[in-house]
Amino acid sequence: MAGKADPYAGIEFEEINEVTGLEPDEIKCLKNCFDLFDSKKQEFLSADDLDEILRAMGFRPSKEELMDILKEIDEDGSGEIEFGEFCQLCAKFLVEDPDIETMKRELKDAFRIYDKAGEGFITMDTLRGLISELLAPLTQEELDGIIEELDEDGSGTMDFDEFCEMMMSAPEH
């Protein structure tokens, strides 16, 4: 390999890792991908290149979505996506969201904190304290309304399944 330039020379691996959490081998792989899309060897990608990349990954962004993504990752406002910015974009897709089982385990741990007696439910009084703390400031009427909504069956308690449903449902704002 004498005489062949190092394709990874000049890459700030530590800096990219710090910003994205990507490992050196992932960064090298992305450099190879970047170079494939940078067919003109300009050391940057355009908005059209970005559209092509996202479509290759199975995404179909509208023009507006594409411009929003470009605005978000084009830190220097050049309209050009340099390699570091490309890595930040790819990291968003490579860093996986936790799966449903992981979320359930974490919710179970959180539930246990409030189910101090280990009875399999949280009392509405405990929940009232938790909600008023999390959503402060709330009026007494607002708090009563939330509790009434959560305690659908009027039992005065919330079991683990109800707790999961509450924690995993999107706020209605």
Side-chain angles (χ1 to χ4, degrees), residues 102-123 126 130 158-161 163-164 167:
T102 304
M103 285 176 63
K104 279 231 175 189
R105 256 195 320 275
E106 289 173 358
L107 286 173
K108 189 77 170 167
D109 293 341
F111 184 81
R112 283 189 189 119
I113 292 169
Y114 300 105
D115 178 19
K116 291 177 176 58
E119 298 172 303
F121 61 83
I122 299 172
T123 66
T126 301
L130 173 65
M158 175 180 274
D159 67 21
F160 178 68
D161 290 334
F163 180 75
C164 282
M167 297 303 284

Side-chain angles (χ1 to χ4, degrees), residues 26 29 31 72 102-103 131 138 143 146 149-150 166:
E26 293 172 312
C29 181
K31 176 64 173 154
E72 187 182 326
T102 304
M103 285 176 63
I131 291 170
L138 282 177
L143 186 57
I146 292 170
E149 202 176 299
L150 292 174
M166 174 187 81

